[in-house]
DNA sequence: TATGAATGAGTGTTCATTCAT
DNA sequence: TATGAATGAACACTCATTCAT
């Protein structure tokens, strides 16, 4: 009949996004049902459709918003080192990427693992944005290479490796765990920088 | 409809496993239906149950077989360098891991991305095996660290990073692409070894 | 979204009736949704209920209004020939019925095809009115028969046949098509009158 | 679980068609739910899909089968008078059409009233067949006109009128009612033939 | 009077699974 | 061992309707 008091408007949409994030992270997009989602939000299934157009669109909306946030925070973080050299900018990149992937671990995980559930148009849009992000790292590596500072072998492959290494933290890092975020950043900075700047293998 | 000639007995089971691998890799376990699978094999849905007990068991079977194969090939590859030092054994590990992840990219991808679709018992069993595999790398790192050869910061975190970096190849490597497998191994060996053996950051 | 200018008050009700007529004619009553209707009118679904009580009542309202209009125009048209003989009155009936079914083709079509979607009470009321209308034709036939002018075989069955023939125009007549309304009336007048007044079959 | 004993194979499909015919006739295609249909047949909803591909296809299948049957019986009935003149062939047409529309009243009613629920492709196919049927009558009228026997005004419009008149019987004829089928045929034959052959109106 | 968010029952359709043949 | 027909629960989504604002 009438609406449940206190559950209205933009607050409902926010609750749907939050619950969607949680359930997709826990069960995967395909395995999450809109019944689960509605129950988590505390409304009826049909009511979801006052806020989303399809299940697919909810997924795209969440991933797209995550990409926007990623770029927004990335720009802020990199602005500080914009006029520094490649080494310092790479350090900043590592610190930013690890931090973001620890703080937004669910968004990040979904943004990678549920890509295949996006329909072609949405898929293309997100993949394009991901490539754009990768290119920022590749650009730093290229610059370092040109300056004789880094030895990448191949900037793109090196970038893929670095991104995979750093992104991995979202699968195992636990806040209040054995290591602090700063320690992880230090370890991976050393590993990445050392790998690029160290002596060449024989 | 008559049965496809030659698709009976153990050959049918093999066809099911092959088709399952393909479809799960392409659509994900949740998104793959047994109707699709039966169609791919060329039999009726009901007939699948002469060969598998449940959809879940098929998934476990595929992942479990992949783990067995991983360990089997791993043992063979590492036996050659069993009496060598940490550096050489790490090189061997990198070469093996990259190679395996290029050759068995579908098994490897499923073995990681569909873990969450496993029932608790099956999940535990596979995760245990994965930890066992990780521990081989950690042991090499530890040994190198003790020998004053590597500077890991933290062997486990370093291992996670290395594994993520190397495992990543299964998502982007294309045979006959821009780089050969050997080039990729060279690049990542340099990156991994350099990251561990290079000069400490200030 | 702001309301469409000029679509408030009684004008809104009129817009709803007009849009309802159009959509029911095009898709059928069951297939038309109130969401479609609201969109066509340019308001939100909930707002419909300031003007109609239920979807069912809207249908009844439209059909009932159509019957009222039919009778009103019928009375006017037949008043002119009230004191003429059966032949002239039958000619007037044919002309009126065809004209009305061309001009009000949507109302007429709905009034016949959506009867079954009416609730029992509403259904009875409309069917009663339809019988009343039929009886006017039957009365003319009866009178002609008694006067030795018509040979119907059975007045009621003849009336059903004539009504079906004439009503049919609403499904195929196109204004500005190959034939004018007057030509159609001439053809069917000839066919109806000839069929009743012609020589008996052997 | 297991199948209900005695309800299998082609018998189920036949039961679905029969129940579908009944329910669509009674409630209309849009208003009939597959749950109703399954209940009428005595199986579960999902089981319907072992026999039909979609609800839409069931409708098309029923209408298409009806058209086939119509043409099949039409050919048989008209073969007898193939070498007769237009008058006798028109009499045969009236007798056949009325008979068929009394005996197959449900199929005929659905075949006309649910056309609009067909998707475009299916709709075109059926409408083409209906036009083909109409053309047989038009051909008879044309021939009679050329022979100076009939005075149609316009053969196509006359045909539409005749078809509407005759088709109407499926909405009101009751077996064992006031009139026999033969009486109805006699009345409408007189009305149709008289309308075409009678003296011209002034 | 219009809106937007809610309800709960309903839609057609798909699913993994079972089992007599 | 393969088939085809069955089950019953589940799916995403739509519906007419209500009502506080």
């Amino acid at each position: 009949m009438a609406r449940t008091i206190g559950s209205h408007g933009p607050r409902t949409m926010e609750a749907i996004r939050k619950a969607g994030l949680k359930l997709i992270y826990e069960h995967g997009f395909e395995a999450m049902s809109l019944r689960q989602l509605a129950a988590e939000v505390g409304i009826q299934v049909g009511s979801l459709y006052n806020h989303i157009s399809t299940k697919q669109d909810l997924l795209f909306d969440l991933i797209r918003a995550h990409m926007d946030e990623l770029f927004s925070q990335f720009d802020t973080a990199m602005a500080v080192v914009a006029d520094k050299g490649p080494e310092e900018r790479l350090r900043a990149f590592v610190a930013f990427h690890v931090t973001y992937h620890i703080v937004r671990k669910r968004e990040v995980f979904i943004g990678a693992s549920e890509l295949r559930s996006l329909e072609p148009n949405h898929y293309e849009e997100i993949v394009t944005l991901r490539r754009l992000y990768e290119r920022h790292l590749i650009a730093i590596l290229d610059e370092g290479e040109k300056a004789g500072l880094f030895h990448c072998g191949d900037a793109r492959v090196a970038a893929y490796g670095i991104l995979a290494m750093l992104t991995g933290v979202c699968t195992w890092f636990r806040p209040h765990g054995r290591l602090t975020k700063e320690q992880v950043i230090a370890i991976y900075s050393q590993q990445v920088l050392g790998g690029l700047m160290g002596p060449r293998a024989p």
Side-chain angles (χ1 to χ4, degrees), chain A:
Chain A
M1 303 278 160
R3 99 180 59 154
T4 303
I5 291 170
S7 154
H8 46 316
R11 278 200 288 254
T12 303
M13 184 63 221
E14 211 34 57
I16 290 172
R17 296 168 58 90
K18 198 175 150 201
L21 217 44
K22 180 189 166 210
L23 291 174
I24 296 173
Y25 178 71
E26 285 172 2
H27 307 109
F29 176 72
E30 293 279 354
M32 174 199 74
S33 84
L34 293 190
R35 275 159 185 78
Q36 279 178 281
L37 180 60
E40 183 86 16
V41 174
I43 60 177
Q44 299 296 314
V45 190
S47 306
L48 287 175
Y49 285 85
N50 289 318
H51 306 275
I52 68 174
S53 54
T54 63
K55 192 192 179 193
Q56 163 75 208
D57 272 1
L58 173 61
L59 176 62
F60 175 64
D61 180 51
L62 290 174
I63 296 182
R64 174 73 228 218
H66 149 58
M67 292 306 293
D68 290 347
E69 182 70 11
L70 175 69
F71 275 103
S72 161
Q73 296 204 15
F74 178 76
D75 289 344
T76 304
M78 297 306 282
V80 181
V81 293
D83 50 0
K84 299 287 171 55
E87 181 178 347
E88 195 139 354
R89 279 163 58 217
L90 185 51
R91 282 188 197 282
F93 182 92
V94 171
F96 165 75
H97 194 90
V98 167
T99 300
Y100 190 90
H101 280 67
I102 280 174
V103 173
R104 302 273 172 155
K105 65 182 280 191
R106 296 192 307 192
E107 286 88 340
V108 156
F109 183 80
I110 292 171
S113 63
E114 302 299 349
L115 276 191
R116 94 180 129 189
S117 293
L118 290 174
E119 29 175 65
N121 283 349
H122 290 159
Y123 180 84
E124 285 307 326
E125 184 170 341
I126 299 301
V127 165
T128 300
L129 290 174
R130 290 172 68 92
R131 292 226 179 88
L132 192 58
Y133 184 75
E134 290 164 11
R135 240 175 286 152
H136 280 112
L137 174 56
I138 295 173
I140 297 174
L141 299 188
D142 272 335
E143 201 184 319
E145 181 98 49
K146 270 183 205 132
L149 209 61
F150 299 161
H151 313 290
C152 302
D154 180 279
R156 201 187 309 169
V157 167
Y160 290 163
I162 292 167
L163 284 168
M165 171 180 280
L166 302 180
T167 298
V169 298
C170 77
T171 64
W172 55 261
F173 185 87
R174 300 281 169 268
H176 318 302
R178 195 162 50 86
L179 297 176
T180 65
K181 186 189 74 167
E182 286 69 26
Q183 288 176 301
V184 174
I185 291 174
I187 292 168
Y188 282 157
S189 291
Q190 161 66 20
Q191 205 141 328
V192 166
L193 273 292
L196 295 171
M197 305 175 73
R200 312 303 319 263

